[in-house]
Every structure is written in C-alpha cells, then in structure tokens.
Amino acid sequence: MLMLNGTFYTMADVEDTVEAVVVEADHILYAGNKKVAESYIEESDDILDLQGATVFPGFIDNHVHMLWLGEKLDRLDLSTIHSRQAVLKAIEEKVNTLQPDEWLIAEGFNDNQWDDTRIIDRLELDAISTKHPIVLTRVCRHALVANQLAMTLAGVTRETPTPIGGYIGKDDSGRLTGYFKDTAQELIKRSEPEKDVPYLKRMIALSVEHLVSKGLVGGHTEDLSYFGSESYEKVTAAFRAHIQEGRTPFKTHALVHHDVLTNYLLDPSKSEALPYYTFGAMKIFVDGAFGGRTAWLNAPYSDNATTSGLYIHEEAELEALIKTARKHHLAIAAHTIGDRAIETLVKLLKQYPSTSSLPDRVIHASLVSDKAIALMQDVPIILDVQPLFVSSDFPWVIDRLGEKRAQQLYRFNTLTQSGIPILGSSDGPIEDVSPLKGIAVFVNRRSIYDGKSYTKEEALTVYQAIESYTKKSAIATNTEATRGQIKTGYAADFTILAANPFHVNTEDLSAIAVKMTMIDGQIVYKNNAL
C-alpha cells in the first residue's frame, strides 16, 4: 500500500519528514521520496490518499488501565459532575433503573471540583437505597465510598482492623462513614460481584474501540490482579480470546502486579508469542495520591500537619519485593507520587540493579525533589508521567503542598534536561486517554479549573511532547529498533491527524481531530466525519 499526500513526521529528529510511505503487510517497506515510493507499487496494490493529513508513528499510552477504562465506559460516570448534590441525584436516578439486589458501582467522583467538597457519607447513600449495594470510586481510584449494605456484605464493622497502607473513615463517635482509602478499599471490593471472562472480554472490546478512536495503537496496561479470584487467569484468558477471535487489534503490554507474580511465573503460556499481548515489569505501589492525602511526603501536608501520607509497604517489605523481582530477572514498575516515595524507591533500585532487558519504570513521579533527580541520574529508569495531572491537580494541590513544594510538581522539562526519559500516558480512566489532550497540557500546563498555566518553566515543546508518546515509548518495551518512528523496517503503526500540531496555535492542540488510526498496516479507526 502506498500512503501519500500527507506530511509524515518520522520522529527521527525535530521536523524530519518524508514524502510518502510504502507498507507491506505489517511493516514499512519504504519511507522517503514520493517518486521512489511509487516505483514499489503495482496496479493491484492499494493507494491511500491522505488528502493533506499529518502522520506520526502510532501513539502509545504508556500507563493505562484498560479494563477499568472499559468499566468506566460501561458504568455511571461521575467524573464530569461538578456538584455534590448533582452526584447524589445521579446515583438516585441510576438506582431506579436497577434490577433487585443489583450493585451500583459508579466511577470517577472528584470532590475537588464540587462546590461543597465534603466527602459523601454512607448515610447519604443509605438514604438513597438500603436494598442495593452502592460503591462510588474516586477519580484517582485511591478511595471509595460505600453504603451500609456494601459494607455488611463485605463483613466490615467498627472492629475491622485498618490494613497497612489504608484508611477506614470514622466520625468522632467511631461510626463508619463508608470512606475507604488505598489498601482498605479491598475490604469492599472483595465482595463485589464476580467478573467472569465474558464480562472482561466485553470490557476489553469497549476499551480498545475507545482507545483507537483517540489515535492510540497500543497501551501499557496494569489490570491483572483486580478482578476477584483467579484474576490473573481470567484477565489473560480474556485478552487472548480478544486476539484469537480477530477483534480490533491493539498492542497491549501488561505490567504484572506483585500480588499475581506467582500466577505469572507458573503460567506455561506466558512465553507464547502473541502478536498483541506481551508482559513487562512487576508492578508495585509505594504510596497513594494527593487527593486523599495518601501520597508519601518528606514533610507533613500543608493543609493537614497530622499526616505525611501513607506508605503501602514497610521499607523492608518493599525491599523484599524488589529482590523477588530481581531473582526472576524482572524490571520494576512502581507507583510513586510523593517525594519520599520516589527517593525511597530509587535508592532501592540503585541498591538492587535490574538484569532485565526492560528498564525500571517510575510511574507518576509527581512531586520530584532535587535529591530525587540526583538519585535518578545514577539509575537507568524511565518515567511514566501523566500530563493531565497538571490540569486536574492545580490549583487545589497548592493548598495540599504549599507554594514551595508545588514548584517541584510535574517537573517535565527539568527531568528531560537531566537526561531522564519522560513517557506520556493518561492513567486512564483516571484521566482522559486522548494523547492530543496530553500533548496540549505538556505544552501549556493549563488548569481545567481556573484556566491558568502553572510552573510554565516545566513545559515541553510540541516535539518533545509527541516524542513521549512515540519514539520514547519504545524504550519501555525495548523495541526502539522496530517501533516509534516512521522508518524503513519499522512497524506500520500510524496516528493520522486532521491538522498539523506544529502549525496550530498551542491552545488548539487538544482540539485536533484524529482522522485515522492504523495498526500493522490495518486501518482500525476512521473518522467518517472528516
């Protein structure tokens, strides 16, 4: 197939372009001069006239939760509701549509965008229904609110001990408020309805169709341990079935949560070569998130001096997990948001260097101290960052951390200048999975709340932002020789845009439409409106 009449950015260097591309099967046969490209084509071959579109190597979301994304698309979505009362009304309306005893699990409430920021109490949910278990998941997925029936079914009482790295909400009298943070959420989630392989297949299909519509050809996902008994077996079976049934392809790279490491190691099929499903690093959670004040900080929160956040594992346990990964020649992918979490992790990664062909990954890397940057330069790591966190955390996060520490948030430019690879991602469904929206925030650093730009000195250029979803993403999977560029011999994965990101006003980056998405030379999404 000959692709022509487009602007092809190879991503080999800034503004490096070719005139045409020839695709054979799943790879690029030739990328370069139009006349030379035409010489490859015979009468029976296809010609794809791009009509002036702009083409990039296929965008990759370097940290996403594909099954959770499918669930968000399938469930009541609270993320766009900006009022506490409106959230309660939406829940009441949804309850009225349920079958007897059916659970209501809603996604994405964000108290930081409400006019009244008090967390919803389980008594308010009980007033809506005592016949349906109700669970509201916070946008960060580090907290949830449950009604009394959900807690009863989970066996949670006042006497239930709080797990390490968790929080169970109680009022001054000791009454359970229904609020659970981080590891304590599992007390509720373990009693939710079992999710079988057909259900998980449906969530994968919903997720993939949404992701390719955003111009994504692949994603690095973390979802092997969250779906009840035999979660690893069910999730991997669902992904394999999706591929084997010939559904929409998507290049999925799965992180392996440490809770299912044994299942992974015992899986005889893990080394089977599947075209669209590979395994990667071992996932660890080091701390929580800013929203619930559970990110682990070096000093107390500025708006609550009684806490410096939560560590998910005692340091000796964290060290043991890293040693286990190294024993099996696995890289580490660690959720780290607070400055103390990052420093603690990187010291251990230096102490126990990786023997894997894949790099260690620091996921989020939100509050990065100068000390952390110095430590990172001695360790071969990559950072999976979420630019949209900038737009959704500012300005409220300044109250959490104080003005001085807020200057050390999302230091994308400083880290890039320090030589530490920055990989773009969404953490979807936590944030919108559109890479164009991510690129816009990388460049503009504009808040969705007040429209202001924050710590603009940490902005990336348009090229650097796009590079984080293309060429640099290949570092994570050790595929730099075959992916991430438009180059002869590379994978025929393309994100085709209706406008040129280098030529539009930076404020219009997020509005650029995806015209087409191609994976291994196959058109998997086409915008029929264009």
Side-chain angles (χ1 to χ4, degrees):
M1 180 175 66
L2 171 63
M3 300 172 64
L4 76 176
N5 295 335
T7 303
F8 298 84
Y9 285 94
T10 68
M11 296 307 294
D13 203 349
V14 179
E15 295 196 12
D16 186 63
T17 61
V18 293
E19 293 179 323
V21 168
V22 179
V23 172
E24 183 177 58
D26 61 355
H27 67 280
I28 298 171
L29 184 63
Y30 174 78
N33 178 272
K34 181 181 175 183
K35 284 193 174 181
V36 175
E38 288 174 335
S39 70
Y40 282 86
I41 301 302
E42 299 175 357
E43 257 187 62
S44 60
D45 292 329
D46 294 328
I47 295 177
L48 181 59
D49 185 342
L50 295 172
Q51 300 176 325
T54 302
V55 187
F56 290 97
F59 290 165
I60 301 289
D61 189 323
N62 293 287
H63 185 68
V64 65
H65 302 275
M66 289 175 62
L67 285 164
W68 284 350
L69 175 62
E71 288 188 321
K72 184 176 181 180
L73 294 167
D74 193 51
R75 291 173 172 174
L76 174 62
D77 182 6
L78 305 175
S79 62
T80 59
I81 301 178
H82 295 182
S83 157
R84 190 175 187 276
Q85 282 306 120
V87 166
L88 290 168
K89 183 179 179 183
I91 295 163
E92 185 173 5
E93 290 174 352
K94 183 67 175 178
V95 162
N96 292 331
T97 70
L98 301 180
Q99 299 297 314
D101 303 321
E102 185 179 353
W103 284 64
L104 191 165
I105 303 174
E107 298 281 342
F109 81 82
N110 186 354
D111 46 297
N112 287 318
Q113 65 185 10
W114 297 345
D115 46 359
D116 177 354
T117 59
R118 289 177 299 123
I119 295 294
I120 289 169
D121 191 282
R122 62 101 176 158
L123 292 177
E124 295 172 280
L125 299 181
D126 291 343
I128 293 173
S129 179
T130 57
K131 296 180 180 180
H132 296 279
I134 300 175
V135 176
L136 315 181
T137 300
R138 196 180 185 280
V139 63
C140 62
R141 277 192 171 252
H142 285 268
L144 63 78
V145 180
N147 71 346
Q148 182 59 55
L149 181 55
M151 290 193 293
T152 299
L153 291 173
V156 175
T157 68
R158 289 189 185 200
E159 287 70 42
T160 299
T162 302
I164 292 174
Y167 166 88
I168 299 175
K170 297 178 182 178
D171 67 12
D172 293 340
S173 70
R175 178 188 64 83
L176 293 171
T177 65
Y179 193 34
F180 296 80
K181 296 182 187 179
D182 287 294
T183 59
Q185 295 179 98
E186 296 308 313
L187 298 171
I188 300 297
K189 290 182 178 181
R190 66 191 181 191
S191 66
E192 291 179 4
E194 189 76 8
K195 287 143 185 181
D196 58 13
V197 172
Y199 171 87
L200 296 173
K201 266 177 54 181
R202 188 166 66 85
M203 295 306 107
I204 292 168
L206 284 172
S207 183
V208 167
E209 294 302 325
H210 185 70
L211 290 162
V212 298
S213 76
K214 301 297 182 181
L216 290 158
V217 303
H220 302 172
T221 190
E222 200 268 293
D223 36 32
L224 288 171
S225 69
Y226 303 115
F227 297 94
S229 61
E230 299 183 338
S231 179
Y232 173 89
E233 290 76 13
K234 291 187 297 187
V235 172
T236 53
F239 272 106
R240 285 191 172 94
H242 180 90
I243 295 164
Q244 290 162 357
E245 291 170 11
R247 294 171 181 263
T248 302
F250 190 75
K251 293 186 174 177
T252 305
H253 183 71
L255 303 183
V256 181
H257 193 291
H258 68 87
D259 278 346
V260 295
L261 180 63
T262 300
N263 307 70
Y264 165 77
L265 294 172
L266 294 174
D267 180 4
S269 63
K270 68 177 179 293
S271 57
E272 289 179 9
L274 284 176
Y276 299 110
Y277 195 71
T278 58
F279 292 100
M282 186 179 90
K283 174 71 180 292
I284 302 172
F285 280 85
V286 180
D287 65 345
F290 293 132
R293 298 183 188 83
T294 55
W296 192 21
L297 309 182
N298 281 319
Y301 280 84
S302 297
D303 61 353
N304 186 344
T306 66
T307 182
S308 297
L310 295 174
Y311 49 85
I312 303 299
H313 306 283
E314 297 281 359
E315 193 163 336
E317 184 184 0
L318 182 62
E319 181 178 9
L321 286 169
I322 292 173
K323 289 170 73 174
T324 298
R326 299 317 195 207
K327 176 183 175 182
H328 298 288
H329 305 289
L330 292 172
I332 295 293
H335 168 115
T336 50
I337 285 185
D339 50 3
R340 187 169 181 185
I342 298 170
E343 291 170 20
T344 300
L345 172 75
V346 177
K347 285 177 187 175
L348 288 169
L349 295 182
K350 183 177 181 179
Q351 187 177 348
Y352 300 101
S354 177
T355 57
S356 169
S357 61
L358 303 179
D360 289 327
R361 310 170 71 142
V362 177
I363 299 170
H364 307 312
S366 300
L367 181 62
V368 187
S369 64
D370 290 340
K371 180 179 178 182
I373 293 175
L375 288 167
M376 287 178 186
Q377 289 177 309
D378 292 333
V379 183
I381 58 173
I382 58 177
L383 307 185
D384 300 339
V385 304
Q386 298 72 42
L388 285 173
F389 281 9
V390 176
S391 64
S392 59
D393 282 2
F394 283 102
W396 63 263
V397 74
I398 298 172
D399 292 333
R400 286 278 194 281
L401 302 177
E403 291 279 356
K404 185 176 180 181
R405 278 189 296 193
Q407 297 299 309
Q408 297 184 326
L409 281 169
Y410 310 116
R411 302 176 73 180
F412 304 142
N413 181 49
T414 297
L415 289 161
T416 298
Q417 297 307 316
S418 299
I420 302 166
I422 297 288
L423 279 62
S425 65
S426 67
D427 203 14
I430 311 306
E431 298 286 355
D432 193 308
V433 296
S434 166
L436 274 306
K437 290 186 177 180
I439 290 164
V441 178
F442 264 139
V443 174
N444 299 314
R445 295 182 70 92
R446 197 172 297 287
S447 168
I448 59 173
Y449 299 115
D450 60 11
K452 296 179 181 178
S453 293
Y454 287 87
T455 51
K456 193 67 188 291
E457 67 275 9
E458 294 295 351
L460 297 184
T461 66
V462 173
Y463 175 79
Q464 289 171 327
I466 295 172
E467 189 182 39
S468 76
Y469 291 96
T470 54
K471 185 165 67 175
K472 286 191 176 179
S473 72
I475 300 171
T477 50
N478 194 26
T479 54
E480 295 145 282
T482 57
R483 293 186 190 177
Q485 297 183 57
I486 296 178
K487 192 173 180 179
T488 300
Y490 277 56
D493 299 336
F494 306 103
T495 299
I496 302 171
L497 305 178
N500 190 326
F502 296 111
H503 295 168
V504 304
N505 187 300
T506 59
E507 298 298 335
D508 297 326
L509 285 166
S510 63
I512 294 175
V514 175
K515 185 170 184 174
M516 203 176 297
T517 306
M518 295 178 65
I519 298 176
D520 285 342
Q522 177 184 345
I523 297 172
V524 295
Y525 170 77
K526 187 174 183 180
N527 190 335
N528 293 321
L530 296 177

